Amino acid sequence: MRIYRVLSCVAVSLFAAVAARAQNPTAIEWSKPFPPHKIAGNLYYVGSEQLASYLITTPEGHILINSDFEQTVPVIRASVEKLGFRFTDIKILLGSHAHGDHMEGDAMVKELTAAKVMAMEQDLPALRKMMPGNKPHPIDRVLHDGDEVTLGGTTLVAHLTPGHTKGCTTWTMKVRDGDKSYDVVIVGSVNVNPGYILVGNKDYPQIADDYVRTFKVLKALPCDIFLGAHGNYYGMTAKYAKLENGGANPFIDPTGYKAYLDEREKAFYANLSEQKQKAGKGN
Ligand SMILES: [Zn+2]
């Protein structure tokens, strides 16, 4: 009887975990399909309406940035196939940062493609806790600030841009489109989420300093094509609509990149000074 109770308890909690995942309203809401599209050269958008995922195609297979929620993986797969590429040709999986909406699907993508999963060292503890369906989070290569990831003639550079998470990663690459070459920046995140503790954070004492450093790093990056972990960082929906109308490539937006960083930096400092005041430390 006791064993039965223990077993049924395990069964109930397993069921609850599965049900919780299946009913994650954010995952369902954020995974709505969005038309996949070419950004420039060998760089494509294959994410959902809310969650940005990028496919970089090469003659030796493809790189995917962001598996998103597990619920988003079939949406990404359909987008890759709609563009005429094979999901199973994905050889490398990268991510923006260790939050479920960007990297929860890593184990599932690895199961489907056998891709090598690479992640920033400082995000590993958070990623190891990310175990949908109790699957261990795959890590095939540990990345450090400035590391390069190369496949089939394309090289991406991993920039450590911490604050939002300890290993938050901004990806840069050069993309050739026709006879031109563009600097691409895929911002990991500079948002201070609701509830983030910037002052006296015991788990992450240097969080505010990390944000300050990250803004400096991002401002110094050359950027023609401005992208990010969520489409709303760079006005993806509006730019996609412009793409449909033809004309100049709307994703080439160095001014938008600078304006975005300025606006987010101001928001960060406003939040920081409010938290300092509440903590009685003044400005
Ligand atoms: Zn996040």
Side-chain angles (χ1 to χ4, degrees), residues 97 99 101-102 164-165 189 193 196 230:
H97 61 261
H99 282 163
D101 53 339
H102 307 293
H164 185 79
T165 65
S189 180
N193 282 5
Y196 269 32
H230 291 274

Side-chain angles (χ1 to χ4, degrees), residues 55-91:
L55 185 75
I56 296 115
T57 62
T58 91
E60 288 171 28
H62 313 315
I63 300 170
L64 178 68
I65 301 182
N66 290 334
S67 62
D68 306 334
F69 286 119
E70 279 208 327
Q71 279 95 330
T72 330
V73 173
V75 175
I76 298 170
R77 182 182 191 148
S79 290
V80 169
E81 286 166 357
K82 207 171 165 188
L83 290 169
F85 300 110
R86 282 176 9 180
F87 197 69
T88 48
D89 284 342
I90 294 170
K91 304 289 184 212

Side-chain angles (χ1 to χ4, degrees), residues 24-37 45-53 67-79 82 101 229-232 236-237 240:
N24 179 346
T26 308
I28 293 165
E29 177 64 26
W30 289 8
S31 298
K32 282 183 192 161
F34 191 84
H37 50 274
Y45 185 92
V46 292
S48 67
E49 219 175 71
Q50 304 290 332
L51 302 170
S53 298
S67 62
D68 306 334
F69 286 119
E70 279 208 327
Q71 279 95 330
T72 330
V73 173
V75 175
I76 298 170
R77 182 182 191 148
S79 290
K82 207 171 165 188
D101 53 339
H230 291 274
N232 65 12
M236 184 271 283
T237 311
Y240 174 73

Side-chain angles (χ1 to χ4, degrees), residues 119-272:
M120 192 65 86
E121 179 189 14
Q122 292 85 342
D123 260 354
L124 294 191
L127 287 174
R128 290 204 175 103
K129 286 182 199 154
M130 201 182 285
M131 296 172 66
N134 273 331
K135 291 188 285 292
H137 200 104
I139 302 286
D140 298 298
R141 180 183 162 193
V142 178
L143 299 171
H144 309 278
D145 189 23
D147 275 359
E148 294 186 345
V149 172
T150 299
L151 183 71
T154 295
T155 297
L156 287 117
V157 180
H159 302 266
L160 176 65
T161 51
H164 185 79
T165 65
K166 289 175 183 172
C168 186
T169 307
T170 293
W171 289 100
T172 60
M173 66 180 284
K174 280 189 188 293
V175 73
R176 282 201 76 73
D177 197 72
D179 56 356
K180 288 191 175 137
S181 171
Y182 298 101
D183 284 307
V184 179
V185 178
I186 305 171
V187 175
S189 180
V190 286
N191 290 336
V192 181
N193 282 5
Y196 269 32
I197 299 165
L198 299 174
V199 178
N201 186 329
K202 287 192 185 70
D203 298 322
Y204 191 176
Q206 78 281 19
I207 184 168
D209 292 342
D210 275 0
Y211 273 102
V212 170
R213 181 187 164 277
T214 285
F215 281 110
K216 267 195 198 128
V217 168
L218 291 178
K219 284 178 169 189
L221 293 176
C223 176
D224 302 307
I225 294 178
F226 164 35
L227 305 169
H230 291 274
N232 65 12
Y233 293 3
Y234 66 97
M236 184 271 283
T237 311
K239 283 176 177 168
Y240 174 73
K242 281 189 193 162
L243 190 71
E244 291 282 272
N245 296 335
N249 187 332
F251 300 110
I252 300 169
D253 185 15
T255 316
Y257 177 64
K258 285 196 185 80
Y260 166 80
L261 290 178
D262 285 345
E263 189 276 327
R264 287 290 83 201
E265 192 175 32
K266 278 197 189 97
F268 160 73
Y269 277 110
N271 194 327
L272 180 63

